[in-house]
Amino acid sequence: MPRILHAADLHLGMENYGRLDPATGLSSRVADFLAALDETVEYALSNAIDLYLFCGDAYKTRDPSPTYQRELARRIHRLASSGVAVFLLVGNHDLPNAVGRATTVEIFNTLSVPNVYVGRQPGLHRVETRRGVVQVVALPWMLRGTLLTRDQYRNRTVDELNEILLDRLREILQQLESELNPALPAILAGHAMVTGGTLGSERSIMLGKDVALPPSMLARPIFDYVAMGHLHRHQVLPTRPPIVYAGSLQRIDFGEEKEEKGFVVAEIPRRFPHSGVPEGETSFTFVPVRARRFLTIEVNADVADPTQAVLESIASHDIAGSVVRLVIRLSAHNEHLLKEGEIRRALRPAYYVAAVAKQVAQEARSRLTSHTAEELSPLETLE
């Protein structure tokens, strides 16, 4: 029964809400993302994982720094040299901006690193693991230009191109499905938007426009498990087999404040050798990582002592090690009573203060017509 660790969307190189570390010259947030990656590696080595399946977007940009590439390579080498097979799928952030250029993870293929497989193009990979061969059908992020010809582009609307693209992908998957050995475990690894999936903060860092794939295209009975990347929220689409998004390994912004981050561990059942029928159902479990906490504190400070109200609200939260956003609501009448120096000092235990935002409610002022003004005394008009 092969054990699979399914992770995705590391986005190594995200530096928002961090500070420069003088010792390394890197943003302190880089350490957060590497720590989350380390948790996946440690789990794989300590829990008899056979295949480490990463479903795209290893880096934030298509041109990662050599330092980021070195740090990822160290961890991949540690897995591969310990007997864990590693499969790296290419996501939209891994793709170059020209067809002839290499992807961010292609170096592992170029160097023929043992135990490491890279899925740049749609294809079938027979991955050797300690518990036998696992078939991985790769469906990386696909640009229209890689699947469609110039003639297909000509005089077509965007909707028409999307339909042509989906038809082409169906043909490719049907061909790959026909090449599968029914006696061996089979996984579909994809990096795409699937209809019914919930989008999150990935909208803000998207490098290409999504074409939503229908679930029926991916959830085929021949597959034991459908592993997806691209959507940052861990979610399971109720298909058969289920379509599983592992989600991102770290929070990127406050849009992911309430989301738990981690990876998925799946156990693929053996198949009866003659019939190819699985001996049971694939089981999978979400494993959370210690992701950096994001915390929004909202305070209604429209009171006689707004500063004290804010300080009490801050004290009621455990802000140590958190990225904090403070939202203060008060009226224009008592805005001048707010002592921002004391508030900033109270926020010092936080890992990073993203914002101290004041939402000041302006008092409504009624406009007087000339007729009304003539009927009032000066004091009544002033009032």
Side-chain angles (χ1 to χ4, degrees):
M1 183 178 291
R3 303 193 75 220
I4 316 297
L5 189 151
H6 165 207
D9 297 283
L10 175 63
H11 293 290
L12 185 59
M14 292 295 299
E15 298 182 356
N16 52 336
Y17 310 117
R19 298 182 178 85
L20 187 67
D21 183 352
T24 63
L26 301 174
S27 168
S28 57
R29 282 284 280 157
V30 173
D32 286 349
F33 287 82
L34 289 175
L37 180 60
D38 285 337
E39 286 193 50
T40 70
V41 172
E42 292 297 336
Y43 187 99
L45 296 177
S46 303
N47 292 273
I49 293 296
D50 301 298
L51 172 60
Y52 185 100
L53 179 62
F54 186 85
C55 287
D57 285 356
Y59 302 101
K60 174 192 173 184
T61 68
R62 55 172 61 101
D63 292 307
S65 74
T67 301
Y68 298 155
Q69 295 179 62
R70 179 195 68 191
E71 294 304 314
L72 178 65
R74 280 176 173 171
R75 289 148 176 89
I76 298 302
H77 176 264
R78 188 178 174 206
L79 287 165
S81 63
S82 299
V84 179
V86 179
F87 191 94
L88 302 173
L89 189 70
V90 171
N92 54 313
H93 284 255
D94 304 316
L95 280 173
N97 56 7
V99 175
R101 299 185 64 186
T103 68
T104 60
V105 293
E106 201 163 332
I107 188 65
F108 295 102
N109 258 1
T110 304
L111 298 177
S112 300
V113 178
N115 253 6
V116 180
Y117 304 77
V118 177
R120 172 170 180 165
Q121 300 291 343
L124 172 58
H125 301 257
R126 290 177 171 83
V127 179
E128 295 282 351
T129 77
R130 289 174 294 200
R131 288 188 175 91
V133 174
V134 175
Q135 302 173 105
V136 178
V137 171
L139 186 63
W141 180 269
M142 299 305 301
L143 298 175
R144 290 186 182 91
T146 60
L147 292 180
L148 305 182
T149 66
R150 288 184 181 275
D151 289 338
Q152 290 170 311
Y153 269 110
R154 190 170 296 139
N155 301 323
R156 299 283 190 171
T157 66
V158 172
D159 289 339
E160 289 173 336
L161 286 173
N162 287 345
E163 283 302 317
I164 296 172
L165 180 63
L166 289 176
D167 288 342
R168 179 68 182 127
L169 285 174
R170 285 190 187 94
E171 293 173 3
I172 292 171
L173 286 174
Q174 286 172 0
Q175 176 60 38
L176 295 173
E177 186 177 337
S178 70
E179 298 173 11
L180 289 170
N181 183 345
L184 297 175
I187 294 172
L188 174 64
H191 190 94
M193 171 68 187
V194 179
T195 303
T198 302
L199 281 165
S201 295
E202 60 273 10
R203 286 180 183 271
S204 63
I205 59 171
M206 205 171 285
L207 294 181
K209 187 177 180 181
D210 280 10
V211 177
L213 308 184
S216 58
M217 181 188 292
L218 309 179
R220 311 289 293 177
I222 191 67
F223 297 121
D224 297 290
Y225 182 72
V226 180
M228 298 299 296
H230 185 52
L231 300 188
H232 288 188
R233 177 181 295 181
H234 166 62
Q235 54 197 292
V236 180
L237 303 188
T239 55
R240 189 172 180 87
I243 297 173
V244 182
Y245 280 95
S248 56
L249 287 169
Q250 270 287 353
R251 298 180 181 93
I252 289 176
D253 57 28
F254 283 90
E256 300 180 1
E257 179 178 352
K258 305 297 184 182
E259 296 177 11
E260 197 166 29
K261 298 300 178 182
F263 54 93
V264 176
V265 175
E267 294 192 1
I268 311 298
R270 295 185 182 88
R271 289 174 177 261
F272 293 106
H274 299 295
S275 64
V277 176
E279 295 182 9
E281 295 286 336
T282 297
S283 62
F284 55 91
T285 305
F286 179 75
V287 180
V289 298
R290 294 183 293 273
R292 178 69 62 186
R293 185 185 181 208
F294 279 58
L295 174 65
T296 298
I297 302 175
E298 299 185 30
V299 188
N300 181 9
D302 195 15
V303 294
D305 190 347
T307 301
Q308 185 60 32
V310 173
L311 295 178
E312 289 176 358
S313 183
I314 293 173
S316 68
H317 292 83
D318 179 13
I319 66 172
S322 301
V323 178
V324 176
R325 175 175 62 179
L326 178 63
V327 180
I328 305 169
R329 297 188 178 90
L330 72 169
S331 64
H333 178 72
N334 62 3
E335 181 183 4
H336 70 285
L337 299 174
L338 201 63
K339 300 174 183 176
E340 293 195 32
E342 292 186 26
I343 294 170
R344 291 282 181 181
R345 283 192 289 273
L347 291 171
R348 282 178 181 171
Y351 171 81
Y352 189 91
V353 178
V356 177
K358 293 185 292 184
Q359 296 183 355
V360 181
Q362 300 294 333
E363 296 178 4
R365 299 181 179 180
S366 58
R367 301 178 66 87
L368 300 178
T369 66
S370 58
H371 175 74
T372 306
E374 290 171 357
E375 296 175 350
L376 301 175
S377 69
L379 287 178
E380 289 173 330
T381 303
L382 180 62
E383 179 65 24

